[in-house]
Amino acid sequence: MFLACLSAFLPCPIPTDPQAAPEYAHSIRLDGDIILGGLFPVHSRGDRGTPCGELKKEKGIHRLEAMMFAIDLINKDPELLPNITLGARILDTCSRDTYALEQSLTFVQALIEKDGSDVRCANGDPPIFTKPDKIVGVIGAAASSVSIMVANILRLFKIPQISYASTAPELSDNTRYDFFSRVVPPDSYQAQAMMDIVTAMEWNYVSTLASEGNYGESGVEAFVQISRETGGVCIAQSLKIPREPKPGEFDKIIRRLLETSNARAIIMFANEDDIRRVLDAAKRNNQTGHFLWVGSDSWGSKISPVIGQERVAEGAITILPKRASVDAFDRYFRSRSLSNNRRNVWFAEFWEENFNCKLGMHGKRPGSPKKCTGLEKVGRDSSYEQEGKVQFVMDAVYAMAHALHRMHRELCYGYPGLCPRMANNIDGKELLSYIRAVNFNGSAGTPVVFNENGDAPGRYDIFQYQITNRSTAEYRVIGSWTNKLHLKVEAMHWRTGDPSLPASVCSIPCRAGERKKVVKGVPCCWHCERCEGYHYQASEFTCELCPYEMRPDTNRTGCVPIPIIKLEWHSPWAIIPVFISMLGIIATSFVIVTFVRYNDTPIVRASGREMSYVLLTGIFLCYAITFLMIAAPDVGVCSLRRIFLGLGMCFSYAALLTKTNRIHRIFEQGKKSVTAPRFISPASQLVITFSLISVQLLGVFVWFAVDPPHTVVDYGEQRTQDPSAARGVLKCDISDLSLICSLGYSILLMVTCTVYAIKTRGVPETFNEAKPIGFTMYTTCIIWLAFIPIFFGTSQSAERMYIQTTTLTISLSLSASVSLGMLYMPKVYIILFHPEQNVPKRKRSFKAIVTAATMSGKLTQKGGDRPNGEVKTELCESMETNSDFIYTCLNAEVKADV
């Protein structure tokens, strides 16, 4: 009976006149061994009874071109459906379900037997029927209402259907739409994602707005159902946009939404045209900035709904199945022209619309000011941006192709082309089973799979429509949803410029830790304000601040003590400094043992044994202070920290300062007379050094008297915005100022020593360590110049205790390592591995020493006259002053530039 009714829609028998061959002026036909159907909204819905309206450049032309492009790629692919050509029959749905139903009857013509027994031609002969294309599967449609209408027909003829855009939850019913599949997730996932967005935004009072039809109504129904199941979100109003709205209908909708003005968030499941008209009505009613739009994938990241009304759409949060632009399609579409794209019957109309021109006398745009030349280029002479569903159209075509490929491999194994089992009749039910089993990476690299209901998995991108400071409007990704919401609240931007989230709340019980703020005159509605920071809920309507050493508990219904922490030995902040310090202590001990073992050798004596042991003691203390800085604070540890924090550096730089000062005085004195300067004996040097060290100790003892050492718990250092992360820090009562004062004297010695190192840089190379001391001081200055900004720049950091302690200990260890490495490691190397160089040299007078210093520059100049530019001098000298000898060995090898 149904088939008889369907025959009424089919074309009448056509005469045999070749002039009357069927035309495809309103469809696209591509020849092939297997023909796929295609349904696309090439035109919008017409007004006042006309089936079709304006051309849809993106949703129509881009999508159908994507199908043809995918077919071209498949036909060129030797691995997919080899020796089989895919063809297509593509129809325009005009965005109307009834019109799409009439068009889709074309797909089932080949499956309906025509009874021509009662029909005769004028000459009495029986009629000849044109054999229609046999469609094995359909790609489409876009709108859910169209897909539902078409699916009801196709299932009767067992023709599988794969949609690239229909998301209505109703289509997941496998008992009613068993031949329907889709490469986009259903709105049940989308509704859950939108509910998660609303919850994350702390909105609990919203209105819904739906276009009449399966897509809009089922989407809102799924959202409302989820809100009932999960609780926490109340629906203020659920409004519906009529399929054929009357004049003023959208202004009426805006006025009704304003009746519950607290419900600023509007959940929209509406088609593109309705979205545009709703925004326009809000703009006309001066409601720009009031409503908080949350749009479904029908809004997504489309430009057309917001053109001309960017301000009213600002801040809108939209959702779109996760997708990516297909670069190959961009190259393909930009290369399309009137001459190479004659297969697309709507491309001329697109050309006129895209370039705002007309083609000859019969163009679709008779009022256009200019004529089309045909030389225009997409993307060059017009704006171009790939439509969002192109990826899914291609995935739908490829899903059909993969299913056919697997079917061919199993039914026609080893048979080139179509075997009789597939050529005569492809079983739609069998093909459906292959479709549901496909699993491949789609055009954007994401997996294409179907569940038992033919649905794709839920993967969404979350967008917000933002207007930047430069007044440029654009959609920006602010999160994603894959079974769980990941939202970047900090990336959101609102019209007011306020970074806080706008409110859309009313009439739900406040949770623990929140106080109620009743709306005046509306006792059933209130704003729930969470007791933020270190406040706890004292009563139903008040929040109070916890004591300073306490924080709110998990429910914010009381206060608990803040945990107390200290730097632990197993912490990464401690392990690294301790490791460096241990290596340094071992190395220092090795140098001391070596010097003691070879105490009377020339190199040890020439280094100044007494000063070397003082300097090595300072280096050892610099390494050892690390353990005191990391140890658990108590009165004893705090006392030792005060004593030894600056003492190690003071030992080191007092000794180095005394050495460099001695060298400077010797050579300055040598310029004036041959008599030796005073206070250059080892005993004098020790007295000077310990005098300098005593100043540091005196300062420490004064500090002890003025402020005895003790421990404190600092609750302000790690008092973070999140109370759960707050910690009290147990530490010694040493302020940053006290620390600088403790180290300041040592730094002064270091700077003074550096000045003397610069002054003595011209002495003979390696003379009494002048050059190594200079390099040591320059490097040390760099280390401490880096230390200061790191130490004080992190004073506001929550990790301050860890960073500052680690920085201080590592800086001390590095300073010690520089001194140890540059001053003593070369000597230890000679002592242990080149003992032949550790021998006394001949003696010279003090005057000879000074003469050697002045001649070193000349020797360098003469080096260029020697073979290979090298000159080697050996100068060993001994000076006798007050019965003490200063042994200085100079072994200088000068290389001139060749």
Side-chain angles (χ1 to χ4, degrees):
M1 181 65 181
F2 180 78
L3 297 181
C5 294
L6 267 181
S7 63
F9 291 97
L10 300 177
C12 296
I14 61 170
T16 57
D17 184 358
Q19 296 287 333
E23 296 181 356
Y24 301 101
H26 300 289
S27 67
I28 296 175
R29 185 179 186 279
L30 304 178
D31 290 328
D33 301 322
I34 298 176
I35 306 297
L36 302 180
L39 293 172
F40 296 93
V42 180
H43 294 86
S44 61
R45 190 169 53 203
D47 296 325
R48 299 182 181 86
T50 57
C52 300
E54 296 179 350
L55 181 79
K56 290 189 173 184
K57 295 192 296 182
E58 288 84 14
K59 291 181 70 174
I61 299 299
H62 282 204
R63 293 179 182 179
L64 72 86
E65 286 286 352
M67 179 176 177
M68 293 193 292
F69 176 59
I71 289 175
D72 291 343
L73 293 179
I74 293 167
N75 287 339
K76 293 175 184 177
D77 190 342
E79 303 296 328
L80 187 60
L81 292 175
N83 301 314
I84 297 175
T85 304
L86 283 184
R89 184 73 184 277
I90 301 175
L91 306 175
D92 181 9
T93 65
C94 289
S95 307
R96 188 188 295 270
D97 51 3
T98 53
Y99 183 79
L101 177 63
E102 296 175 12
Q103 293 291 298
S104 64
L105 294 177
T106 306
F107 297 149
V108 300
Q109 287 182 29
L111 302 176
I112 300 176
E113 294 185 5
K114 301 178 178 65
D115 184 7
S117 57
D118 296 334
V119 182
R120 288 290 183 271
C121 298
N123 60 2
D125 293 336
I128 299 175
F129 295 96
T130 302
K131 185 179 180 181
D133 292 322
K134 184 177 180 181
I135 306 299
V136 301
V138 174
I139 306 299
S144 294
S145 57
V146 175
S147 286
I148 288 172
M149 191 76 78
V150 173
N152 284 320
I153 296 294
L154 297 181
R155 71 183 295 268
L156 296 175
F157 296 91
K158 299 181 179 180
I159 300 177
Q161 175 186 1
I162 303 178
S163 174
Y164 49 83
S166 298
T167 56
E170 183 179 348
L171 288 163
S172 296
D173 186 352
N174 207 31
T175 60
R176 295 176 56 193
Y177 307 103
D178 45 340
F179 280 82
F180 178 85
S181 304
R182 50 186 162 191
V183 291
V184 289
D187 286 337
S188 53
Y189 295 147
Q190 185 174 194
Q192 181 63 61
M194 295 173 79
M195 175 59 69
D196 290 346
I197 293 171
V198 168
T199 304
M201 299 297 293
E202 300 178 4
W203 297 337
N204 49 47
Y205 195 51
V206 302
S207 294
T208 63
L209 186 59
S211 292
E212 185 178 359
N214 295 92
Y215 172 78
E217 294 176 34
S218 58
V220 164
E221 183 181 348
F223 182 85
V224 172
Q225 181 63 28
I226 293 171
S227 70
R228 288 173 183 162
E229 293 173 356
T230 59
V233 176
C234 299
I235 308 299
Q237 295 189 76
S238 286
L239 304 183
K240 188 186 299 182
I241 302 171
R243 197 183 301 269
E244 302 289 345
K246 300 176 183 178
E249 186 70 38
F250 291 94
D251 293 318
K252 180 181 176 182
I253 288 172
I254 295 298
R255 287 193 296 270
R256 287 195 59 188
L257 290 174
L258 289 172
E259 291 174 4
T260 52
S261 58
N262 281 347
R264 295 176 60 196
I266 312 299
I267 311 301
M268 297 184 69
F269 281 88
N271 61 53
E272 184 179 333
D273 297 330
D274 287 343
I275 293 169
R276 184 175 62 253
R277 288 183 280 190
V278 167
L279 294 177
D280 188 45
K283 183 179 179 181
R284 283 198 307 271
N285 287 272
N286 297 319
Q287 296 304 317
T288 299
H290 174 75
F291 293 112
L292 306 169
W293 312 106
V294 181
S296 63
D297 65 341
S298 58
W299 187 336
S301 58
K302 295 187 180 73
I303 299 299
S304 54
V306 297
I307 288 179
Q309 40 209 17
E310 290 81 2
R311 291 292 175 185
V312 72
E314 183 179 4
I317 300 172
T318 62
I319 189 170
L320 193 64
K322 191 176 285 291
R323 60 186 174 87
S325 181
V326 183
D327 295 336
F329 177 79
D330 288 337
R331 295 190 294 271
Y332 162 82
F333 195 80
R334 284 192 175 100
S335 68
R336 298 298 87 192
S337 65
L338 293 174
S339 59
N340 65 14
N341 200 21
R342 296 184 183 276
R343 63 182 180 177
N344 186 346
V345 297
W346 297 289
F347 199 70
E349 186 178 354
F350 164 81
W351 200 264
E352 291 182 328
E353 181 74 22
N354 194 51
F355 297 108
N356 193 24
C357 60
K358 63 179 180 180
L359 290 166
M361 298 295 294
H362 304 288
K364 297 285 185 179
R365 298 172 62 87
S368 297
K370 62 178 182 179
K371 289 186 178 181
C372 302
T373 64
L375 301 177
E376 296 88 357
K377 188 172 179 61
V378 175
R380 183 192 66 189
D381 302 315
S382 66
S383 60
Y384 167 75
E385 183 177 356
Q386 188 179 124
E387 201 275 331
K389 294 291 194 301
V390 163
Q391 168 200 340
F392 299 110
V393 174
M394 295 182 65
D395 287 347
V397 177
Y398 267 91
M400 193 73 76
H402 278 280
L404 289 167
H405 179 79
R406 187 174 175 186
M407 185 179 189
H408 178 268
R409 189 175 56 190
E410 294 187 6
L411 300 184
C412 308
Y413 183 76
Y415 194 97
L418 291 179
C419 64
R421 290 188 64 182
M422 289 185 69
N424 298 330
N425 182 29
I426 294 179
D427 187 342
K429 193 166 186 178
E430 192 174 2
L431 176 59
L432 177 66
S433 65
Y434 287 107
I435 290 174
R436 295 291 172 85
V438 298
N439 188 342
F440 64 97
N441 285 331
S443 52
T446 54
V448 177
V449 293
F450 301 102
N451 63 13
E452 65 278 4
N453 296 322
D455 294 330
R459 292 187 293 261
Y460 296 97
D461 282 324
I462 314 297
F463 295 86
Q464 187 183 40
Y465 191 66
Q466 299 181 359
I467 299 179
T468 62
N469 295 332
R470 296 173 295 176
S471 299
T472 357
E474 61 179 342
Y475 291 96
R476 289 192 176 179
V477 177
I478 58 169
S480 62
W481 189 92
T482 308
N483 298 322
K484 183 181 178 182
L485 178 67
H486 303 276
L487 193 64
K488 303 174 187 173
V489 178
E490 68 279 3
M492 303 181 80
H493 178 77
W494 305 100
R495 188 173 184 272
T496 59
D498 189 349
S500 61
L501 299 178
S504 181
V505 294
C506 190
S507 300
I508 62 170
C510 292
R511 296 171 293 181
E514 293 180 343
R515 71 180 184 94
K516 291 182 179 179
K517 185 178 181 179
V518 178
V519 177
K520 187 177 180 180
V522 189
C524 63
C525 294
W526 56 82
H527 297 290
C528 292
E529 292 188 352
R530 183 170 175 78
C531 298
E532 296 292 348
Y534 291 82
H535 291 80
Y536 71 100
Q537 184 183 0
S539 69
E540 188 178 3
F541 299 99
T542 60
C543 295
E544 293 184 2
L545 186 65
C546 287
Y548 189 70
E549 71 280 359
M550 304 185 79
R551 67 182 184 186
D553 60 17
T554 305
N555 296 324
R556 291 186 175 271
T557 54
C559 297
V560 295
I562 295 177
I564 298 175
I565 62 170
K566 63 183 185 301
L567 184 57
E568 302 291 346
W569 291 101
H570 57 75
S571 167
W573 297 98
I575 291 174
I576 296 175
V578 168
F579 178 75
I580 295 174
S581 179
M582 290 180 67
L583 291 179
I585 289 173
I586 293 171
T588 306
S589 302
F590 178 77
V591 171
I592 293 174
V593 170
T594 303
F595 266 52
V596 171
R597 171 70 178 79
Y598 298 93
N599 190 57
D600 292 320
T601 60
I603 283 185
V604 175
R605 296 176 65 190
S607 299
R609 286 173 295 185
E610 297 81 359
M611 297 303 294
S612 291
Y613 292 134
V614 172
L615 180 55
L616 287 169
T617 301
I619 291 173
F620 184 92
L621 291 177
C622 286
Y623 285 123
I625 190 63
T626 297
F627 298 94
L628 289 174
M629 297 302 295
I630 295 174
D634 56 32
V635 175
V637 170
C638 293
S639 300
L640 293 175
R641 282 187 188 179
R642 289 192 181 187
I643 295 172
F644 291 104
L645 181 60
L647 192 60
M649 290 178 61
C650 189
F651 263 80
S652 300
Y653 299 125
L656 286 176
L657 175 59
T658 304
K659 277 193 171 190
T660 53
N661 174 264
R662 173 175 172 270
I663 296 171
H664 175 72
R665 288 189 294 114
I666 287 174
F667 282 94
E668 287 297 316
Q669 180 70 19
K671 294 177 182 178
K672 301 174 183 178
S673 67
V674 296
T675 61
R678 295 188 302 169
F679 308 120
I680 63 173
S681 67
S684 303
Q685 297 298 297
L686 288 175
V687 170
I688 295 171
T689 300
F690 283 107
S691 299
L692 294 173
I693 294 172
S694 64
V695 176
Q696 171 75 16
L697 291 173
L698 179 62
V700 171
F701 291 140
V702 172
W703 187 9
F704 269 87
V706 174
D707 182 18
H710 60 281
T711 61
V712 295
V713 178
D714 188 350
Y715 291 99
E717 183 172 317
Q718 292 198 22
R719 194 174 180 84
T720 57
Q721 292 184 351
D722 180 10
S724 64
R727 299 289 185 272
V729 179
L730 176 64
K731 61 182 184 179
C732 294
D733 188 22
I734 302 177
S735 65
D736 289 348
L737 179 60
S738 301
L739 180 67
I740 289 302
C741 291
S742 177
L743 295 175
Y745 180 69
S746 299
I747 293 175
L748 177 62
L749 294 177
M750 179 183 70
V751 172
T752 308
C753 184
T754 304
V755 172
Y756 275 111
I758 293 172
K759 287 184 176 182
T760 58
R761 66 186 184 275
V763 304
E765 194 171 339
T766 73
F767 181 80
N768 210 18
E769 303 169 325
K771 291 291 177 63
I773 290 175
F775 290 135
T776 300
M777 299 317 301
Y778 306 151
T779 308
T780 304
C781 287
I782 293 172
I783 290 172
W784 287 97
L785 285 174
F787 161 81
I788 292 173
I790 295 174
F791 186 89
F792 292 99
T794 56
S795 59
Q796 303 300 320
S797 171
E799 305 289 337
R800 171 187 172 186
M801 174 185 68
Y802 305 108
I803 297 174
Q804 291 189 342
T805 302
T806 302
T807 304
L808 177 60
T809 53
I810 289 179
S811 296
L812 287 167
S813 295
L814 288 178
S815 300
S817 299
V818 169
S819 300
L820 187 67
M822 290 191 175
L823 297 178
Y824 292 104
M825 285 306 173
K827 295 179 176 61
V828 171
Y829 177 78
I830 292 175
I831 291 171
L832 297 179
F833 299 104
H834 293 282
E836 71 278 3
Q837 297 182 19
N838 191 11
V839 293
K841 306 295 181 180
R842 60 193 180 87
K843 301 178 181 179
R844 289 197 179 182
S845 65
F846 177 80
K847 183 177 181 180
I849 297 173
V850 178
T851 304
T854 57
M855 289 297 293
S856 63
K858 298 178 180 181
L859 290 172
T860 301
Q861 296 175 0
K862 292 180 179 181
D865 301 328
R866 299 288 183 89
N868 298 323
E870 297 185 358
V871 58
K872 184 169 183 178
T873 66
E874 291 187 359
L875 176 65
C876 298
E877 63 202 36
S878 172
M879 182 181 66
E880 180 175 343
T881 304
N882 295 328
S883 301
D884 289 322
F885 287 90
I886 299 175
Y887 292 91
T888 304
C889 182
L890 175 64
N891 188 350
E893 181 167 328
V894 182
K895 286 192 175 184
D897 294 333
V898 179

